[in-house]
């Protein structure tokens, strides 16, 4: 079942279009930075963007920060919102359920498929932006110390290529988890409606509300539970020593969303009358 | 039957969500601790226990943006994330995790007589020479141990009382409350919770005479014992700048070499004598009052003063009638600010006293920047 869903996901052109667009947006920013040599001042623009012109190896971090707030959630909303509602809108869902497959297994396969999508999306953005960053901006001066591949951490300590690879892998895993939480919410919405667009818009509305509440002092009591609160915690992986607290809290909250949203999807879908 | 299954499933989901929220929200109550408040105060002031920690300091002072003092107003009006490595009173490092997205860092290393500042945004390590008689507040000052020692040191004779213990950073912390007796100060109470074994302050709350707590600083994670010596060694990464500067040159808004001397008295308070070393003078800067009822006079340029007057007025401040130029004051429950722009110069007064006191001081300043 999982293999079927994964093959189905990989055969969809819109999935590949999402990945291409996610990789193209940071590449466009990199080209503009390289052509104009106008990097934003520290603290302005996207995270790490001010530092990429002096070390192209920081561009994957900057690229992930660029796609994280808007483009990545949009693509995850589209794919996860389509997971069940897409089948229902094309009339395939009832035929799918005629097979001797439990609804829980079907939902699990759908969630794994969404997870594979977000993981591959983050991996593709990381790899393409590393190549684009190094090609356009080169290795930084830290190559003299850490060898080609070393970068300066936020704390000033030079990270070796091995350390950089480890921290980048941790970033990829963390962001994939954050997006999987959004995907799980999308899966739940997808079981509520037969319209993939409505489900996707529901996810985006959830993300927007979370982003709106985030800076409000009045929402301080629930800030910890907002998913977007923890999206930038991975930046602490680029300090030395690593500051794990925010990452740890982020993992806890995102896992909580995955469990609760997937549970809600199961609770709703398990007894739902499927008519289309 | 289907309805029952439906209910049971949703009940299970609701129970799971409640359990997840509960695990993160429930805080264990602290055990009752019997401590001598005076003894704990003495221990806090006397000792600098080694530790490694992570703290968050939240200020709600409602200050307007003051030109050239943005770093200070940011500290007092937002949440600051600070990581600290303390081996002793003269060997420590405090990292301010900065940037709108948290993607920068400003680390201060204090190693004996030497001080270094690493700024990721500026890609530069600065070696700071000497010590200025006065400096602007920085993130490290908001760490609970530093803030507690400073507040207790400013009011050594005021009484402290024990308050209920709290569970902080996974340990029971004994609490003491300092209530300033000086009627001139805006500070109403300072609550400090400290580890009863090491006397390491873990949380500090500062409130005005009335109203809620306006400044909270808490160590959310703490490990006793000295840090790895390697983290106390500043490094200059390849490609980064390495500069040396005197502490006085880094005084920013406090350093105005053309400023007239500060008056000997303002608002009935004598100017304190600041320690001075050659080359570290801060002309025109004066500190008045003692303890928690003090204020500082900072000379500024006219542009800065004009923008500060505009900012204070826009933030709900009150215009002060002056013979020359413009002036305004703004009083928050904990901190008051008064500013005057006159001729080619300006003056800024800021302190933990009532805005009326600062207005009186401002009106006593010589007109057009001439010394009295």
């Amino acid at each position: 079942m999982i293999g079927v869903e994964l093959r189905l996901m990989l055969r969809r052109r819109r999935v590949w279009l999402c990945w291409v667009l996610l990789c193209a947006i940071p590449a466009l920013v990199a080209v503009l930075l390289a052509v104009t040599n106008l990097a934003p001042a520290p603290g302005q623009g996207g995270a790490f963007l001010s530092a990429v012109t002096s070390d192209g190896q920081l561009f994957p971090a900057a690229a992930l920060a660029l796609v994280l707030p808007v483009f990545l959630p949009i693509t995850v909303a589209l794919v996860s919102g389509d997971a069940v509602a897409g089948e229902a809108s094309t009339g395939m869902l009832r035929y799918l359920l005629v097979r001797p497959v439990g609804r829980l297994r079907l939902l699990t396969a759908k969630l794994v498929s969404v997870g594979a999508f977000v993981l591959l999306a983050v991996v593709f953005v990381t790899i393409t932006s590393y190549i684009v960053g190094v090609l356009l901006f080169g290795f930084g001066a830290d190559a003299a110390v850490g060898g080609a591949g070393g970068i300066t951490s936020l704390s000033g300590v030079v990270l070796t290529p091995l350390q950089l690879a480890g921290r980048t892998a941790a970033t990829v895993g963390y962001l994939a988890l954050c997006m999987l939480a959004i995907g799980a919410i999308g899966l739940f919405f997808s079981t509520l409606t037969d319209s993939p667009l409505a489900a996707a818009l529901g996810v985006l509305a959830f993300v927007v509300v979370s982003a709106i509440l985030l800076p409000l002092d009045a929402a301080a009591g629930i800030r910890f539970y907002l998913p977007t609160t923890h999206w930038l915690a991975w930046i602490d992986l680029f300090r030395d020593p690593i500051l794990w607290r925010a990452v740890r809290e982020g993992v806890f909250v995102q896992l909580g969303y995955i469990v609760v949203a997937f549970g809600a999807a199961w609770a709703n879908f398990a007894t739902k009358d499927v008519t289309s | 039957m289907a309805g029952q299954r439906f209910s049971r499933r949703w009940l299970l989901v609701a129970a799971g969500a409640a359990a997840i929220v509960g695990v993160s929200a429930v805080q264990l109550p602290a055990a009752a601790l019997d401590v001598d408040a005076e003894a704990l105060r003495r221990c806090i002031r006397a000792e600098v226990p080694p530790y490694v920690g992570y703290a968050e300091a939240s200020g709600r002072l409602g200050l307007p943006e003051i030109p050239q003092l943005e770093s200070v107003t940011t500290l007092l009006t937002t949440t600051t994330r600070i990581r600290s490595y303390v081996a002793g009173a003269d060997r420590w490092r405090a990292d301010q995790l900065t940037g709108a997205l948290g993607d920068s860092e400003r680390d201060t290393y204090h190693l004996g007589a030497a001080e270094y500042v690493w700024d990721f945004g500026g890609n530069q390590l600065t070696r700071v020479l000497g010590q200025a008689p006065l400096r602007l507040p920085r993130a490290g000052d908001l760490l609970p141990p530093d803030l507690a020692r400073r507040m207790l040191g400013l009011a050594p004779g005021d009484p402290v009382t024990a308050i209920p213990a709290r569970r902080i950073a996974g340990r029971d912390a004994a609490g003491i409350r300092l209530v300033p007796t000086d009627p001139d100060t805006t500070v109403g109470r300072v609550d400090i919770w400290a580890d009863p074994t090491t006397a390491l302050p873990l949380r500090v709350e500062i409130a005005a005479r009335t109203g809620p707590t306006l400044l909270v600083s808490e160590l959310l994670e703490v490990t006793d014992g000295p840090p790895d010596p390697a983290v106390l060694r500043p490094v200059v990464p390849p490609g980064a700048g390495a500069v040396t500067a005197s502490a006085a040159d880094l005084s920013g808004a406090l350093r105005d070499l053309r400023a007239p001397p500060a008056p000997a008295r303002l608002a009935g308070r004598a100017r304190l004598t600041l320690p001075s070393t050659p080359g570290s003078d801060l002309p025109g800067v004066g500190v008045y009052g003692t303890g928690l009822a003090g204020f500082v006079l900072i000379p500024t340029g006219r542009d800065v003063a004009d923008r500060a007057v505009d900012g204070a007025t826009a933030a709900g401040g009150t215009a002060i009638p002056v013979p020359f130029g413009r002036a305004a004051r703004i009083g928050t429950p904990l901190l008051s600010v008064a500013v005057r722009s006159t001729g080619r110069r300006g003056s800024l007064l800021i302190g933990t006293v009532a805005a009326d006191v600062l207005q009186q001081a401002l009106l006593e300043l010589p007109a057009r920047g001439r010394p009295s």
Side-chain angles (χ1 to χ4, degrees), chain B residues 173-356:
Chain B
I176 57 172
R177 171 168 294 173
L178 167 75
V179 178
T181 53
D182 190 332
D184 288 337
T185 180
T186 52
V187 179
R189 62 174 170 84
V190 180
D191 292 346
I192 298 166
W193 286 268
D195 186 316
T197 312
T198 61
L200 177 72
L202 301 172
R203 180 181 170 97
V204 177
E205 292 183 1
I206 301 175
R209 297 263 175 211
T210 57
T213 301
L214 295 173
L215 185 65
V216 179
S217 179
E218 179 174 335
L219 274 168
L220 298 170
E221 289 184 355
V222 63
T223 307
D224 293 322
D228 181 347
V231 302
L232 292 178
R233 276 195 297 272
V235 292
V236 186
V243 298
T244 300
S246 76
D249 288 340
L250 296 176
S251 300
L254 298 178
R255 182 85 155 164
D256 183 351
L257 294 174
R258 296 168 301 166
R265 289 185 75 81
L266 279 179
R269 292 156 175 82
R271 189 182 72 224
L272 302 184
T273 305
L274 297 173
S276 178
T277 54
S280 71
D281 289 343
L282 298 175
V285 172
V287 178
Y288 300 85
T290 54
L292 290 168
F295 64 89
V296 60
L297 165 67
I298 303 171
T300 69
R302 182 180 177 178
D303 286 352
V304 171
D306 275 339
R307 281 189 286 152
V309 170
D310 292 339
T313 309
T318 310
I320 301 173
V322 287
F324 301 101
R326 303 188 302 142
R329 72 178 213 191
I330 185 163
T332 71
L334 202 54
L335 209 60
S336 303
V337 179
V339 60
R340 188 184 71 174
S341 165
T342 175
R344 282 180 296 178
R345 310 212 57 80
S347 303
L348 183 72
L349 291 153
I350 186 163
T352 50
V353 291
D356 287 342

Side-chain angles (χ1 to χ4, degrees), chain A residues 42-43 45-51 54 58 141-142 144-145 152-158 188 217 220 223-225 232 235-236 239-246 248 252 255-257 259-260 263-268 270-271, chain B residues 2 5-6 8-10 12-13 16-17 19-25 54 56 60 79 81 83 85 93 95-107 109 118-123 220-221 231 235-240:
Chain A
F48 291 108
L49 214 49
S50 62
S54 56
L58 275 172
D142 303 319
V145 173
T152 301
S153 68
L154 292 170
S155 313
V157 175
V158 175
F188 168 53
D217 284 342
R223 188 173 293 146
F224 177 82
Y225 303 102
L232 289 172
I235 289 174
D236 287 350
R239 306 188 192 282
D240 197 81
I242 293 174
L243 182 58
W244 287 106
R245 180 185 174 83
R248 207 166 49 232
F252 174 79
L255 283 175
Y257 270 103
V259 169
V260 173
W266 163 72
N268 183 57
T271 52
Chain B
R5 278 203 305 273
F6 174 85
R8 275 206 301 273
R9 286 195 179 97
W10 279 107
L12 196 63
V13 173
I20 290 169
V21 172
V23 163
S24 59
Y54 168 76
E56 288 183 1
R60 303 268 180 276
T79 296
R81 302 168 68 209
R83 186 155 62 161
Y85 304 87
R93 165 183 163 186
D95 300 352
Q96 182 183 6
L97 314 184
T98 61
L101 301 170
D103 60 329
S104 196
E105 196 168 307
R106 187 178 173 83
D107 305 346
Y109 295 78
W118 161 253
D119 182 7
F120 177 80
N123 196 26
L220 298 170
E221 289 184 355
V231 302
V235 292
V236 186

Side-chain angles (χ1 to χ4, degrees), chain B residues 260-261 263 266 340 342 362-372:
Chain B
L266 279 179
R340 188 184 71 174
T342 175
L362 187 137
L363 293 172
E364 290 175 10
L365 285 172
R368 296 184 183 276
R370 285 192 303 269
S372 57

Side-chain angles (χ1 to χ4, degrees), chain A residues 227-275:
Chain A
T228 51
T229 299
H230 309 275
W231 279 6
L232 289 172
W234 59 272
I235 289 174
D236 287 350
L237 294 169
F238 290 87
R239 306 188 192 282
D240 197 81
I242 293 174
L243 182 58
W244 287 106
R245 180 185 174 83
V247 176
R248 207 166 49 232
E249 288 179 347
V251 167
F252 174 79
V253 170
Q254 307 303 335
L255 283 175
Y257 270 103
I258 292 169
V259 169
V260 173
F262 184 73
W266 163 72
N268 183 57
F269 189 60
T271 52
K272 183 181 179 182
D273 289 331
V274 176
T275 56

Side-chain angles (χ1 to χ4, degrees), chain A residues 126-139:
Chain A
T126 304
I127 292 173
T128 55
S129 57
Y130 184 84
I131 294 168
V132 169
V134 169
L135 282 177
L136 292 177
F137 306 113
F139 293 101

